[in-house]
Amino acid sequence: MKKRFIICVVSFCVAVIAAFAVILTFSKSGPSYADGTWTGTGEGRNGPVEVSITVSNGKITDGKIVSESETDFAKPAAQDILDQAISKGNMNSFDAVSGCTITSKATAEAIRNALDKAKGTVATAAAVKDENCDIVIIGAGGAGMTAAIEAAQNGAKVILLEKMGVTGGNTISATGGLNAAETKVQEKLGISDSKEQFYQDTMKGGYNKNDPALVRKMVEKASETVDWLMSIGADLSDVGKMAGSTNSRTHRPQGGAAVGAHLVPVLEDACVKAGVDLRKNSKVLDVLKEGNKAAGVVVETNGQKYTVKAKAVIIATGGFGASPEMVVKYKPELVGFGTTNHKGATGDAFAWIEKFDGALTQMDEIQTHPTVVPANGVMITEAVRGNGAIMVNREGKRFGSEMATRDVMSKDILNQTGKTAYLVFDTSVRKSLKAIEGYVKKGLLTEGETPEALAEKLGIPAAEFAATIKNYNEIQKSGNDTEFGRKASEMPRALEEGPYFAVEVGPAIHHTMGGIKINPDAEVLDSKGNVIPGLYAAGEVTGGVHGGNRLGGNAVADICVYGKIAADSALAYIK
């Protein structure tokens, strides 16, 4: 018996050692990929990114980008990620290209998808089935994710549906920040501001076409929304000034970094932590109606349809700035304009609410952003002007106040030779705003050691341009812009530190300010002004908050404030 016991123990030990040897061997050799050429896809900013990779002896040895529809300045990022995979022989990790995060992730996803095929581990699409939940939310942009987090944190079962393969919508491209007054951050930075001034600025900026009750609610709730966002991990510790704002109130990440690229991952992580059922590539086809109430949605994913029955529905699908047909329908003079919008912003929701007699409002109020790079649609944040940049035409001269509202600045640019202009700044402005580094990495800027050298590269009159810079510096120091009325508080620094930089810009469709009519509780209204039970909306899909012109920094305030309100109203309704 003793001998048999010893033999069993020895045999067990040998087996354990052998098992560890196998594990160690596998960890050294890595996963087993079959040799050959494999393709995979990932969801980019403007659509699928497809790659083809060659595997030899279990490692990636070659590859190519088969197809993509990213912007000209994002295209190199896809090749960069592929080059990293070839260099390493795998896609275990990668360094995202700054300013092209979505394209970087999409390419990495495509490579991993191809490697899964090489391992024979590609899962077949699961059959869909009808679902039930408390609240279904359509659209995983800033408004939708904010609503989802708020609802889930308060105990609701939430399904969040996103038709694209990535979250974020237009929010991912937001650069300026979030407007809020009387915040703890402003107090810490010694900034004096008031909610009343915030309200007055917003109404004035919108030519008093705004719904006063909606504006008042946004203004009142913005400060606590900043606190809420910071509580879930957002950095809004820097405050800048945008055109149309009397005081500095645009909250953004430290150093003036772009707010959207920071905020979207924070919101998505918070959705996961809150237990939100987030489903990408899930296109909503319709909103269900039972009696006079919203009762769920019809969804399509992987070519299969199913229904989600819900006690409440929140529409957060964004605007229609990527639908040229719809834009021209409501504002014919914008025919041929480019857009800053992501391709999913096509106004799908307006057809869904027709059966409820849902009301639309101010659909012809469509904003162009004045500083968009014509060749590729990259938007240059208004904060560059807020931090001291100026605008000059092809004659080398200023032609208006750089801090005019977006509609005024857009009109002024279109009146210049070539219908574009140059946004000009020096090294001191570049140092003051981290967002500018993203434009540097994308290769958007023209650089010159002196104003004359920059003018030569731009092909504009050097003497006139240098005189414009000199004159502006004198104006800045005096604090009195007698020619165009730019306020002293809007001219934070002179342009005296070389090198100097410029980027050609022009107007493009940016924000659709009209949409679904809601009340201050984010309840959708019908044509008679009655509340449609169980139906809510938030963000750019709604109308009335911004009136005839949206101030920079108010979009992120709008989507986050009303995203939370929609969730709170839906929670109260289902309880």
Side-chain angles (χ1 to χ4, degrees):
M1 290 287 290
K2 188 173 182 180
K3 286 181 180 179
R4 282 199 297 270
F5 176 74
I6 293 172
I7 291 170
C8 287
V9 170
V10 171
S11 299
F12 175 75
C13 291
V14 170
V16 169
I17 292 169
F20 272 112
V22 170
I23 292 171
L24 289 171
T25 301
F26 178 79
S27 66
K28 287 179 181 179
S29 64
S32 178
Y33 301 129
D35 289 355
T37 299
W38 309 91
T39 60
T41 60
E43 189 67 29
R45 175 66 175 164
N46 294 324
V49 175
E50 183 179 4
V51 304
S52 170
I53 61 169
T54 299
V55 175
S56 180
N57 295 321
K59 292 185 177 181
I60 301 172
T61 57
D62 199 6
K64 66 178 181 178
I65 307 297
V66 177
S67 65
E68 47 76 31
S69 53
E70 305 301 271
T71 64
D72 289 342
F73 288 94
K75 291 179 190 296
Q79 188 61 50
D80 183 276
I81 301 303
L82 182 58
D83 290 343
Q84 290 184 45
I86 295 170
S87 174
K88 297 174 182 176
N90 59 58
M91 196 72 260
N92 295 336
S93 64
F94 67 97
D95 296 321
V97 179
S98 179
C100 303
T101 305
I102 293 178
T103 303
S104 299
K105 289 182 176 180
T107 309
E109 179 188 356
I111 295 169
R112 287 171 179 151
N113 180 248
L115 289 175
D116 284 343
K117 292 177 181 178
K119 286 192 293 182
T121 58
V122 177
T124 57
V128 298
K129 60 184 178 67
D130 293 342
E131 300 274 6
N132 289 278
C133 66
D134 293 319
I135 301 173
V136 63
I137 302 172
I138 315 167
M145 287 196 287
T146 298
I149 297 161
E150 176 74 0
Q153 286 181 338
N154 284 279
K157 179 182 178 183
V158 178
I159 294 178
L160 175 58
L161 302 166
E162 171 54 52
K163 75 174 182 180
M164 307 300 289
V166 292
T167 61
N170 279 337
T171 306
I172 193 74
S173 301
T175 50
L178 186 162
N179 284 346
E182 299 181 27
T183 67
K184 295 173 184 175
V185 179
Q186 285 177 312
E187 182 180 8
K188 183 177 180 180
L189 296 174
I191 297 170
S192 178
D193 194 14
S194 71
K195 292 179 180 179
E196 181 58 31
Q197 189 60 60
F198 182 11
Y199 173 82
Q200 295 296 339
D201 287 347
T202 299
M203 294 300 295
K204 179 181 177 182
Y207 302 111
N208 290 302
K209 295 180 180 180
N210 326 54
D211 181 327
L214 294 179
V215 175
R216 186 66 73 181
K217 192 68 167 277
M218 179 183 76
V219 165
E220 289 299 324
K221 293 290 185 180
S223 177
E224 64 185 66
T225 301
V226 168
D227 293 339
W228 182 82
L229 288 168
M230 294 179 75
S231 76
I232 62 171
D235 173 12
L236 298 173
S237 59
D238 189 290
V239 180
K241 191 172 188 289
M242 303 283 268
S245 294
T246 299
N247 304 307
S248 295
R249 65 171 67 101
T250 307
H251 294 65
R252 59 200 186 188
Q254 188 62 41
V259 69
H262 164 70
L263 189 58
V264 166
V266 169
L267 291 172
E268 186 168 355
D269 287 346
C271 281
V272 173
K273 291 175 183 176
V276 173
D277 184 349
L278 171 56
R279 303 181 182 188
K280 302 172 187 177
N281 294 306
S282 298
K283 183 178 181 179
V284 170
L285 303 177
D286 202 3
V287 174
L288 299 173
K289 182 183 179 185
E290 291 182 0
N292 65 339
K293 301 177 182 180
V297 296
V298 179
V299 191
E300 182 179 48
T301 183
N302 296 319
Q304 303 178 78
K305 295 180 184 178
Y306 66 102
T307 62
V308 176
K309 289 290 190 72
K311 300 171 185 176
V313 177
I314 298 176
I315 300 174
T317 51
F320 58 94
S323 171
E325 298 80 11
M326 197 173 288
V327 167
V328 173
K329 172 184 175 182
Y330 291 109
K331 202 157 190 174
E333 59 265 39
L334 294 179
V335 63
F337 267 58
T339 183
T340 65
N341 287 244
H342 79 108
K343 73 172 189 174
T346 51
D348 303 353
F350 305 136
W352 305 335
I353 67 169
E354 288 179 1
K355 66 172 71 68
F356 297 92
D357 189 28
L360 302 179
T361 183
Q362 300 183 333
M363 295 295 285
D364 61 335
E365 299 294 353
I366 299 172
Q367 183 183 65
T368 59
H369 194 290
T371 53
V372 177
V373 181
N376 52 64
V378 174
M379 184 184 71
I380 307 298
T381 177
E382 203 167 272
V384 179
R385 285 176 280 144
N387 281 34
I390 64 171
M391 298 281 287
V392 302
N393 56 24
R394 282 173 169 75
E395 289 71 47
K397 299 179 179 180
R398 291 177 69 214
F399 52 88
S401 170
E402 290 82 1
M403 295 301 286
T405 54
R406 290 174 174 180
D407 58 328
V408 172
M409 179 58 70
S410 293
K411 184 177 179 181
D412 285 348
I413 292 172
L414 292 175
N415 286 332
Q416 305 309 306
T417 304
K419 300 185 182 301
T420 62
Y422 295 102
L423 181 65
V424 176
F425 54 95
D426 71 344
T427 296
S428 70
V429 174
R430 176 178 172 177
K431 289 176 180 176
S432 75
L433 190 69
K434 190 178 291 184
I436 292 174
E437 297 311 308
Y439 309 139
V440 174
K441 290 173 182 176
K442 289 180 180 180
L444 298 175
L445 305 183
T446 301
E447 178 179 342
E449 284 298 321
T450 64
E452 291 84 356
L454 180 59
E456 185 176 344
K457 289 185 176 182
L458 296 176
I460 63 177
E464 190 68 62
F465 179 67
T468 294
I469 297 290
K470 180 181 178 183
N471 184 54
Y472 175 77
N473 288 340
E474 292 172 356
I475 289 171
Q476 188 274 334
K477 289 170 184 175
S478 72
N480 186 20
D481 184 3
T482 56
E483 191 172 10
F484 299 114
R486 186 168 175 173
K487 299 175 184 177
S489 62
E490 297 170 347
M491 300 184 289
R493 50 183 56 81
L495 305 179
E496 299 176 318
E497 183 180 349
Y500 292 79
F501 305 91
V503 56
E504 184 181 4
V505 294
I509 294 162
H510 183 51
H511 193 96
T512 50
M513 295 167 292
I516 296 173
K517 193 168 187 176
I518 61 169
N519 64 19
D521 292 324
E523 296 170 309
V524 177
L525 305 177
D526 66 18
S527 63
K528 297 179 179 63
N530 300 314
V531 169
I532 300 171
L535 189 59
Y536 306 86
E540 194 176 347
V541 74
T542 67
V545 174
H546 306 293
N549 178 64
R550 179 179 65 80
L551 297 185
N554 272 359
V556 182
D558 174 22
I559 63 177
C560 294
V561 167
Y562 277 102
K564 280 186 92 264
I565 289 172
D568 291 337
S569 295
L571 286 164
Y573 172 76
I574 66 177
K575 288 177 181 177

